[in-house]
Amino acid sequence: MSKCLGGFLAAGLLATAAQFAAQADEINTRYFGGLLDHHSIYGKYWFPEPLLNPEVDVDREIRLDYLHTERRGLQSNALKAEVEYAVGLLTLEIELPYSNDRQAVRDDATGRVMHERSEGLGNVEFAARHPIYQYVSPDRQFDYSLVAALELSVPTKTRLSHDTEIVPQLSQAVRIGEHFSVQTNLGLSFLIGPQEGGTQTLEYGATFGYSIDREQFNIPGTTRLTPLFELRGERGMNRGANGHNMLNGVAGVRIDLHSWGLVQPRLGIGYVFPIDSGARDDLRWGIVTSIVFEY
């Protein structure tokens, strides 16, 4: 009897010790003052790169984007080159855009339609982002990261670039289940300079993705396919644009290819369309393409 009781107590103590060890291990996954979690998928290159919205995840990549948009009388082309480098969970970014616009203008005197071109480099953008809070559910089916970012755009003094822009920003990266992701961003743009200095604009967006691995949808040469739907908007906060809103949508896909040595290529393409009246004044339709070389 006593031996059975002793064995029962010993088994109970061992079970209790194992439970405490598991709890201690769970607690030890928190770091950065208990705000971040080692279990998080953030920083493991799982979240897809948005096509138009700012990126949220950690990245080491070289990226080229091309955006073509049209509305009545205006064709716009924008090319953007970007380099990102990560130090731990801190991502540093530099970006250089170039744009070329072609606008039809009618001469009132002759009635002839002429085309005016406007092209040149835009602001050089420097940015940094880092997660400041994370939560991962015990079953790992819900993964949340809150990310702080700061963008600084320096003018190149071309025809298109005169003002400095500062954008403090908060972003969120959420994984739900094994495939679905949501990335959101909210920032306030401040312009400083001779052209539109003092202008403030609220910038916001959301990117929804559904990751399909090769085991589910086998396409030769690819490792993952992610259909994307994006919302990207701007709302004027002062001056004559106070309350003026522009909201565009993007429907597209990101395709991850097999690695080329140490480089992981990712292709993206999307159709851009206006959602509200403010956006319809700015464009009728557009196409965005993107190629990313992750290293």
Side-chain angles (χ1 to χ4, degrees):
M1 180 75 176
S2 60
K3 289 184 179 181
C4 292
L5 181 61
F8 178 77
L9 291 175
L13 289 173
L14 287 174
T16 303
Q19 183 179 2
F20 282 141
Q23 291 175 347
D25 180 65
E26 193 69 28
I27 293 173
N28 288 337
T29 65
R30 308 294 298 184
Y31 67 107
F32 197 70
L35 297 176
L36 304 184
D37 195 324
H38 286 296
H39 286 161
S40 177
I41 199 71
Y42 185 90
K44 298 177 183 177
Y45 303 96
W46 183 84
F47 288 98
E49 292 93 346
L51 295 170
L52 281 186
N53 284 324
E55 295 184 64
V56 179
D57 201 5
V58 171
D59 273 314
R60 282 190 178 186
E61 65 185 30
I62 298 172
R63 174 170 172 166
L64 292 174
D65 290 351
Y66 171 72
L67 173 65
H68 174 86
T69 61
E70 292 191 12
R71 72 167 191 254
R72 185 178 179 85
L74 177 65
Q75 294 184 0
S76 297
N77 298 281
L79 182 66
K80 181 178 69 174
E82 176 185 305
V83 177
E84 296 191 11
Y85 185 79
V87 181
L89 294 181
L90 174 66
T91 300
L92 305 174
E93 174 186 325
I94 182 170
E95 175 183 305
L96 181 63
Y98 175 86
S99 62
N100 182 313
D101 299 338
R102 183 172 180 265
Q103 185 167 11
V105 179
R106 183 179 295 276
D107 190 313
D108 293 335
T110 64
R112 295 177 56 189
V113 176
M114 306 178 65
H115 292 91
E116 295 183 353
R117 288 188 177 275
S118 176
E119 61 181 326
L121 292 173
N123 284 19
V124 180
E125 180 182 297
F126 303 90
R129 62 181 179 271
H130 194 284
I132 56 176
Y133 177 76
Q134 292 175 333
Y135 171 76
V136 182
S137 65
D139 61 1
R140 313 280 182 90
Q141 294 300 297
F142 181 83
D143 192 317
Y144 172 86
S145 293
L146 179 65
V147 182
L150 180 64
E151 299 176 3
L152 172 64
S153 297
V154 180
T156 54
K157 302 302 181 181
T158 64
R159 183 179 178 182
L160 306 177
S161 174
H162 298 278
D163 299 329
T164 298
E165 182 181 23
I166 301 174
V167 187
Q169 188 172 193
L170 282 176
S171 301
Q172 300 173 99
V174 183
R175 186 185 73 166
I176 302 173
E178 297 296 327
H179 305 282
F180 186 66
S181 64
V182 182
Q183 300 173 75
T184 68
N185 62 279
L186 180 67
L188 186 58
S189 165
F190 299 88
L191 292 181
I192 304 170
Q195 196 169 63
E196 298 182 49
T199 301
Q200 299 177 16
T201 305
L202 184 69
E203 301 177 351
Y204 61 94
T207 301
F208 304 90
Y210 189 86
S211 173
I212 305 173
D213 296 327
R214 184 178 179 182
E215 291 77 12
Q216 300 169 295
F217 193 76
N218 191 0
I219 300 177
T222 68
T223 60
R224 186 168 62 166
L225 181 73
T226 308
L228 297 172
F229 178 74
E230 298 184 29
L231 297 171
R232 179 171 182 173
E234 295 182 356
R235 184 177 182 86
M237 301 299 291
N238 64 352
R239 303 288 184 89
N242 187 22
H244 178 69
N245 193 76
M246 293 192 305
L247 180 62
N248 292 306
V250 184
V253 64
R254 178 71 71 178
I255 304 170
D256 296 1
L257 304 180
H258 283 305
S259 296
W260 300 348
L262 300 177
V263 177
Q264 167 73 62
R266 298 181 177 182
L267 306 179
I269 186 169
Y271 176 74
V272 185
F273 55 93
I275 292 180
D276 64 2
S277 58
R280 283 189 288 272
D281 291 337
D282 187 60
L283 67 87
R284 294 301 179 189
W285 65 274
I287 294 291
V288 59
T289 59
S290 171
I291 181 168
V292 173
F293 297 100
E294 187 177 280
Y295 57 91

